Each structure stands twice: as structure tokens, then as C-alpha cells.
């Protein structure tokens, strides 16, 4: 099994937007609208920020948005804030499996 | 408070066994599907196992299939992971995580418990 592919890093200045891609195959990302995104600070547990491609759990700012096209899902963080500096992981359901992405470190310049 | 608390981690020799526990509180545990996810030092997240409410469906990642066993005791609001044939590459922080209620996404995580496989 291979993890989903994410860029290792992304960055932006406060107030700017950053978009992270998550590339899989037709068997996972492309085959289901079951992509989720997680934010993780060092030494902490991950936190769900997007589920089912585009939905935000209660309490997650609307600066976080998700989308999908074909086998690639994306997370956009608009209006970057200092507290957005963290690791971000995508995840996709696949038949009887669940794959995580390789992770992206977002740096706020 | 709605929370998950893992326990049972520690140092174990290669080939050894260990059982992790995850205690749930603040929600109706029996209604939720549960997972184990791990993270090796300095690495990304890896999903390793899932159990449906009632234990009717169980799935494993290829990396642990045949060596790890997930189970749950709804009467005790607890999730378990029995690990055997442990290898150095199983060294990681192990998280239990709850599936969202009728939606896909891991919406509640424990703080993690550390397993170190070393001689």
C-alpha cells in the first residue's frame, strides 16, 4: 500500500492563501468522496479539519476549505494566520482500507 | 468530557507482544466505529486497523495483518490492539481514533501511547 502524495512543504505570509495537494488513484481519492484533512502540531494528536472532501466540522474556521478533481484532492488555507503553522495530512478511504498522505509542513513566513 | 485515553505502551523486544488499550468517555462508545493509527518517530500517519460498532467488520493494513488484532468491549467502553511478532519498524506513537457518527472522518483522537521495539 502506498500513502497518498503530498508536497513536503508549503509556505505563505500572514493573510495569504496556501493550497496543499493530495494525489492518489482511482481506487482511493478518485473513487470515493471520502477525503479528509487533519492538522497536527508537534507532539500533539491530529485534529480533523475537513471531512468528505468539502465539509468542515463544527468549530473549524471557514478559512479552511477542501476540494477534489479526479485523483487529486486539495486543502486551501485562506487568510493565513500564525497558528496555521503545522503539519497537514490528507486521508482517503479505499476499499477496506484507509490511506494517509505523506504530510505537508506549512510555514507561515 | 468527550475523550479517548490510550495506555499500555512501553519497551518490548523484537518478536515480543504488547496489548494497547483505549478508554472512551463522554459519548456512547458502542455507537461508533473505531480505528488505530500510528506515527513512527519523525514520520507521517499510518492507519493500521478499523473495527465497526458491534465488531461486525474488521480491517487491517497490510503491514500489520496477521500480527495485530483489534477488538472492543462495549460494556467497558474500551478498544484494544493486541500486537505480536513486533518488529523495530512497529516503533511508533499509537493513537486510537473515532470515526464520525455517520460520516467519514476521524473526529476524535486520543493523546497516543508510545511503543518502542528494541533489544
Amino acid at each position: 500500500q502506498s500513502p497518498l502524495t503530498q508536497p513536503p512543504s508549503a509556505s505563505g505570509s500572514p493573510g495569504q492563501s496556501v493550497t496543499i495537494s493530495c494525489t492518489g488513484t482511482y481506487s482511493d481519492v478518485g473513487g470515493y468522496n471520502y477525503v479528509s484533512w487533519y492538522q497536527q502540531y508537534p507532539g500533539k494528536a491530529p485534529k480533523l479539519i475537513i471531512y468528505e472532501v468539502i465539509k468542515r466540522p463544527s468549530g473549524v474556521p471557514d478559512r479552511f476549505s477542501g476540494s477534489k478533481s479526479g485523483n487529486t484532492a486539495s486543502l486551501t488555507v485562506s487568510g493565513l494566520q500564525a497558528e496555521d503553522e503545522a503539519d497537514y495530512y490528507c486521508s482517503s478511504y479505499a476499499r477496506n482500507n484507509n490511506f494517509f498522505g505523506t504530510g505537508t509542513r506549512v510555514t507561515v513566513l | 468530557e468527550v475523550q479517548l485515553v490510550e495506555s499500555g505502551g512501553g519497551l518490548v523486544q523484537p518478536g515480543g507482544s504488547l496489548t494497547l488499550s483505549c478508554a472512551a468517555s463522554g459519548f456512547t462508545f458502542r455507537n461508533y466505529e473505531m480505528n488505530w493509527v500510528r506515527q513512527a518517530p519523525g514520520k507521517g500517519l499510518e492507519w493500521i486497523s478499523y473495527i465497526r460498532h458491534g465488531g461486525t467488520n474488521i480491517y487491517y493494513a497490510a503491514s500489520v495483518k496477521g500480527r495485530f488484532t483489534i477488538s472492543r468491549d462495549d460494556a467497558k467502553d474500551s478498544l484494544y490492539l493486541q500486537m505480536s511478532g513486533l518488529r523495530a519498524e512497529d516503533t511508533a506513537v499509537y493513537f486510537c481514533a473515532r470515526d464520525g457518527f455517520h460520516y467519514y472522518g476521524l473526529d476524535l483522537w486520543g493523546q497516543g501511547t508510545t511503543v518502542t521495539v528494541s533489544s
Side-chain angles (χ1 to χ4, degrees), chain B:
Chain B
E1 181 185 2
V2 176
Q3 64 178 355
L4 298 169
V5 179
E6 302 94 336
S7 61
L11 175 64
V12 60
Q13 292 189 337
S17 300
L18 204 60
T19 296
L20 306 183
S21 300
C22 170
S25 59
F27 64 97
T28 307
F29 178 74
R30 66 177 180 272
N31 290 345
Y32 287 83
E33 300 158 9
M34 298 295 297
N35 300 262
W36 287 98
V37 176
R38 68 184 181 184
Q39 187 168 35
K43 302 296 184 181
L45 301 171
E46 179 189 14
W47 171 83
I48 56 173
S49 189
Y50 158 95
I51 185 168
R52 186 175 169 84
H53 45 72
T56 52
N57 295 83
I58 287 174
Y59 306 122
Y60 298 98
S63 58
V64 305
K65 196 169 186 178
R67 300 187 299 123
F68 290 11
T69 301
I70 190 172
S71 63
R72 62 190 297 161
D73 185 339
D74 290 344
K76 295 183 177 180
D77 292 342
S78 292
L79 177 73
Y80 305 99
L81 185 69
Q82 295 175 270
M83 305 183 294
S84 63
L86 284 163
R87 308 164 180 166
E89 54 264 35
D90 295 317
T91 294
V93 175
Y94 285 73
F95 297 99
C96 62
R98 184 184 79 175
D99 257 303
F101 190 66
H102 293 318
Y103 69 82
Y104 172 86
L106 302 178
D107 71 342
L108 180 67
W109 295 66
Q111 85 288 351
T113 188
T114 301
V115 173
T116 303
V117 184
S118 174
S119 54

Side-chain angles (χ1 to χ4, degrees), chain A residues 13-55:
Chain A
S13 299
Q16 290 187 330
S17 295
V18 64
T19 296
I20 303 166
S21 61
C22 169
T23 301
T25 71
Y26 67 90
S27 297
D28 38 65
V29 174
Y32 307 90
N33 285 324
Y34 291 152
V35 175
S36 52
W37 289 89
Y38 302 86
Q39 177 190 60
Q40 186 182 33
Y41 295 111
K44 300 295 186 182
K47 173 189 174 184
L48 178 67
I49 56 173
I50 294 289
Y51 67 96
E52 295 178 355
V53 180
I54 60 171
K55 301 175 183 177

Side-chain angles (χ1 to χ4, degrees), chain A residues 25-106:
Chain A
T25 71
Y26 67 90
S27 297
D28 38 65
V29 174
Y32 307 90
N33 285 324
Y34 291 152
V35 175
S36 52
W37 289 89
Y38 302 86
Q39 177 190 60
Q40 186 182 33
Y41 295 111
K44 300 295 186 182
K47 173 189 174 184
L48 178 67
I49 56 173
I50 294 289
Y51 67 96
E52 295 178 355
V53 180
I54 60 171
K55 301 175 183 177
R56 271 179 292 105
S58 174
V60 174
D62 60 6
R63 303 184 292 103
F64 294 91
S65 62
S67 63
K68 191 184 84 166
S69 178
N71 297 335
T72 299
S74 298
L75 171 73
T76 297
V77 185
S78 306
L80 267 175
Q81 299 183 4
E83 60 261 35
D84 298 332
E85 186 161 294
D87 294 326
Y88 292 82
Y89 294 91
C90 63
S91 178
S92 177
Y93 172 82
R95 189 167 181 272
N96 299 341
N97 262 300
N98 189 336
F99 296 117
F100 281 97
T102 48
T104 299
R105 172 69 56 87
V106 169

